Amino acid sequence: MKYFIHTYGCQMNIHDSEKIAGILESMGYTVCDKAEDADIIVFNTCCIRETAEQKIYGHIGLVKKLKREKPELITVVCGCMSQQEGVAAKIRESYPFVDIVLGTGNLNLLQDAIVAAQKKRKFVDVNFMQYKEEDFLTSRTSYPNAWVNINYGCNNFCTYCIVPYVRGRERSRRSEDIIAEVRNLLSEGYKEITLLGQNVNSYGHDLDSDISFAQLLHKLGAMPGKFRLRFMTSHPKDLSQDVIDAIAEYPNICDNIHLPVQSGSTEILRKMNRHYTRDDYFAIVDKIRAKLPDVGITTDIMVGFPGETEQDFEDTLDLVRKVKFSSAFCFVYSRRKGTPAYSMEQIPYAVKKKRITELIACQNEVTKQISQYMVGKQYEVLVEGENFHYKNTMCGRTESGRLVNFQCDPSRIGEFVTVKIERASSATLWGSIVTEEK
Ligand code: SAH
Ligand code: SF4
Ligand code: F3S
């Protein structure tokens, strides 16, 4: 019996798919490369933007034919899209060949659901039940990196964002559980741990034991052995000096912060409910760089939020030029039903399109400058895996988070090496290994 998982969206979903794989493997399924060969197909969905959703509905539609050829095929739709109001009903109606619909908060029901589906019974349940991480035997797919959830959900309600509605309220895992999981992963040989939360900086606020994100970093950073610790995402309003100090104190914590700015206009940030101004953001960046001069700061930026004027957009470009992000994920605002921004006055698609092109060109210019600066210098890189775009090429990241391509034997995945950057084509860095350390 074989399984195939389509994973869409962010790192949360990538990690949830590892939990799903764990459940399926404990039931005797093994992974396969193609949906056509599978006995069970899982769609772990995302609904952050409309384009993501449309693509997923298209992919689910393709299963109809497979199901006709193989009636015992089990199809599961889970994740953020199915957690949205009305979607479970829509799937039942328009995609009757789907056997199981689960949400984001009840993955623990998957095994029961599959048993029901094997008996030809539909299983549709999107109630939130807050499963425990420890209930799963995660089947990890990202060695030498391992994802570790520290908090789930979000309480921030940025006015454009669907996440608080589909991932529920913020819940922190107990620090003892996180520490035990990280300790295990390191003893199994993982070299990079990435802590996950929609807003890692508010970790612990909801726990009785009074532990903050900075205190958690101290406990994890002090663990013995050489490894890398990263985390995402940091909301600028909550990034405290304690966290910056902890990054500076422990060599194992990477000088790399993902700090989504969303917009460079104070007025748009206010309408987005982000709780910081343009100047606040500059001040946070200064605070970070004062303590971590080699830090790589990455970001998310959106264009075309309702009411964004030409001047607001110019302010975003200006911020991008000034902050010099090492990379930026740039998005066109997408209207999400159920969010406050849905009913604000929208701006035309043509304007959004022009702005996204300009924004990407602006960031590319910044990235190019940083890349040129890196040429000729040496960086420690963790060998992470093969680069799928270039044959016989491995890749890995610098501590600051920049991806580098180089040649080496695949058996060296998981080793730390020193790479000299030899050339750069705007966003892509090429180098070669100069010295070797285990
Ligand atoms: N919790 C993280 C981000 C989660 S979503 C944070 O607060 O930063 C990842 C990114 O998707 C966001 O940073 C935002 O830039 C983008 N995004 C969220 N909602 C969106 C929407 N409706 N349209 C376009 N982009 C959106
Ligand atoms: Fe969405 Fe804002 Fe929460 Fe991030 S902080 S998940 S952007 S509501
Ligand atoms: Fe992530 Fe998409 Fe859900 S970005 S949290 S998978 S809506």
Side-chain angles (χ1 to χ4, degrees):
M1 298 288 266
K2 299 206 174 324
Y3 74 85
F4 185 87
I5 307 177
H6 287 277
T7 306
Y8 306 87
C10 66
Q11 285 78 7
M12 293 284 170
N13 263 17
I14 294 175
H15 187 36
D16 283 351
S17 285
E18 295 180 329
K19 298 174 203 167
I20 294 168
I23 297 172
L24 296 173
E25 285 171 17
S26 74
M27 295 179 76
Y29 287 91
T30 53
V31 69
C32 64
D33 301 334
K34 287 202 303 258
E36 291 77 7
D37 299 335
D39 300 289
I40 180 161
I41 302 178
V42 180
F43 292 88
N44 190 15
T45 62
C46 169
C47 56
I48 197 84
R49 284 168 287 275
E50 199 183 348
T51 44
E53 260 190 344
Q54 282 166 344
K55 187 169 82 184
I56 296 167
Y57 278 122
H59 291 174
I60 298 175
L62 296 176
V63 173
K64 191 173 178 180
K65 186 169 155 276
L66 293 178
K67 184 95 175 179
R68 219 181 287 134
E69 291 160 6
K70 198 196 275 185
E72 68 282 8
L73 172 68
I74 295 175
T75 308
V76 185
V77 180
C78 61
C80 293
M81 192 179 93
S82 39
Q83 193 67 58
Q84 283 179 106
E85 216 180 302
V87 170
K90 174 177 168 177
I91 293 173
R92 271 189 100 148
E93 203 163 294
S94 311
Y95 302 84
F97 52 87
V98 170
D99 304 285
I100 297 170
V101 182
L102 292 175
T104 56
N106 59 358
L107 273 183
N108 52 317
L109 298 182
L110 183 59
Q111 179 156 355
D112 293 347
I114 292 171
V115 172
Q118 284 166 341
K119 296 181 187 147
K120 303 277 172 228
R121 284 207 307 269
K122 295 249 176 233
F123 194 104
V124 178
D125 187 341
V126 290
N127 287 314
F128 242 89
M129 5 208 335
Q130 289 194 27
Y131 58 80
K132 271 196 82 180
E133 201 75 6
E134 287 65 36
D135 296 342
F136 298 110
L137 276 171
T138 303
S139 171
R140 296 182 181 272
T141 50
S142 59
Y143 178 84
N145 175 66
W147 310 105
V148 174
N149 288 115
I150 65 163
N151 51 0
Y152 312 92
C154 182
N155 285 354
N156 289 313
F157 291 95
C158 302
T159 54
Y160 50 81
C161 186
I162 195 78
V163 172
Y165 305 89
V166 294
R167 288 271 173 180
R169 292 294 64 71
E170 202 170 281
R171 295 148 346 256
S172 301
R173 267 177 90 193
R174 292 180 341 143
S175 60
E176 305 88 276
D177 295 338
I178 298 169
I179 290 162
E181 185 176 353
V182 172
R183 192 177 292 127
N184 269 338
L185 289 164
L186 295 177
S187 72
E188 286 170 22
Y190 286 90
K191 298 293 183 221
E192 183 181 70
I193 306 291
T194 308
L195 307 178
L196 293 178
Q198 293 299 344
N199 178 13
V200 289
N201 299 292
S202 59
Y203 171 78
H205 286 187
D206 55 322
L207 291 176
D208 295 336
S209 60
D210 203 17
I211 180 164
S212 68
F213 181 55
Q215 286 162 335
L216 181 70
L217 284 182
H218 278 278
K219 293 191 186 226
L220 298 174
M223 283 189 174
K226 180 162 176 65
F227 65 95
R228 281 178 169 182
L229 189 71
R230 298 183 190 274
F231 52 85
M232 64 193 311
T233 296
S234 287
H235 194 305
K237 77 178 166 61
D238 296 318
L239 183 72
S240 64
Q241 185 66 46
D242 301 3
V243 169
I244 301 170
D245 293 345
I247 301 172
E249 186 173 335
Y250 299 97
N252 282 343
I253 306 183
C254 290
D255 287 8
N256 180 198
I257 303 183
H258 185 59
L259 196 68
V261 64
Q262 312 299 357
S263 168
S265 151
T266 294
E267 179 54 16
I268 294 296
L269 289 168
R270 190 186 63 74
K271 288 187 181 149
M272 288 177 165
N273 194 32
R274 290 290 289 180
H275 294 281
Y276 54 88
T277 64
R278 167 190 175 83
D279 288 340
D280 292 338
Y281 193 86
F282 282 125
I284 299 160
V285 168
D286 286 347
K287 228 161 59 173
I288 297 169
R289 293 218 164 108
K291 196 86 195 209
L292 308 166
D294 295 323
V295 71
I297 302 178
T298 58
T299 202
D300 296 342
I301 311 173
M302 210 184 294
V303 297
F305 184 80
E308 184 186 65
T309 63
E310 206 48 43
Q311 184 55 51
D312 292 323
F313 176 61
E314 285 299 326
D315 287 348
T316 296
L317 293 179
D318 179 66
L319 182 138
V320 165
R321 287 187 202 106
K322 286 186 174 140
V323 173
K324 301 202 189 316
F325 296 108
S326 47
S327 70
F329 295 99
C330 303
F331 304 111
V332 172
Y333 163 75
S334 171
R335 195 179 184 190
R336 303 282 66 202
K337 221 178 227 146
T339 63
Y342 185 87
S343 35
M344 296 179 190
E345 190 166 333
Q346 308 291 310
I347 66 171
Y349 182 69
V351 175
K352 293 182 183 175
K353 207 172 153 201
K354 180 187 139 290
R355 289 182 185 165
I356 191 79
T357 311
E358 242 181 282
L359 173 64
I360 291 172
C362 177
Q363 175 58 39
N364 281 350
E365 198 44 52
V366 174
T367 308
K368 197 164 136 190
Q369 283 171 20
I370 299 176
S371 300
Q372 290 306 336
Y373 167 83
M374 293 174 81
V375 172
K377 297 190 175 60
Q378 297 185 4
Y379 297 89
E380 185 187 68
V381 168
L382 173 60
V383 185
E384 290 176 34
E386 219 150 346
N387 185 321
F388 294 108
H389 300 293
Y390 306 98
K391 250 191 136 149
N392 300 325
T393 301
M394 303 300 282
C395 62
R397 276 170 302 160
T398 63
E399 182 181 344
S400 69
R402 283 296 305 268
L403 201 70
V404 186
N405 295 317
F406 50 92
Q407 310 286 325
C408 81
D409 196 81
S411 64
R412 301 188 64 183
I413 291 173
E415 282 181 33
F416 288 98
V417 295
T418 303
V419 171
K420 182 174 183 183
I421 310 296
E422 284 158 348
R423 60 194 169 89
S425 60
S426 71
T428 313
L429 299 171
W430 300 83
S432 58
I433 296 179
V434 286
T435 53
E436 300 164 10
E437 27 177 319
K438 286 268 172 183

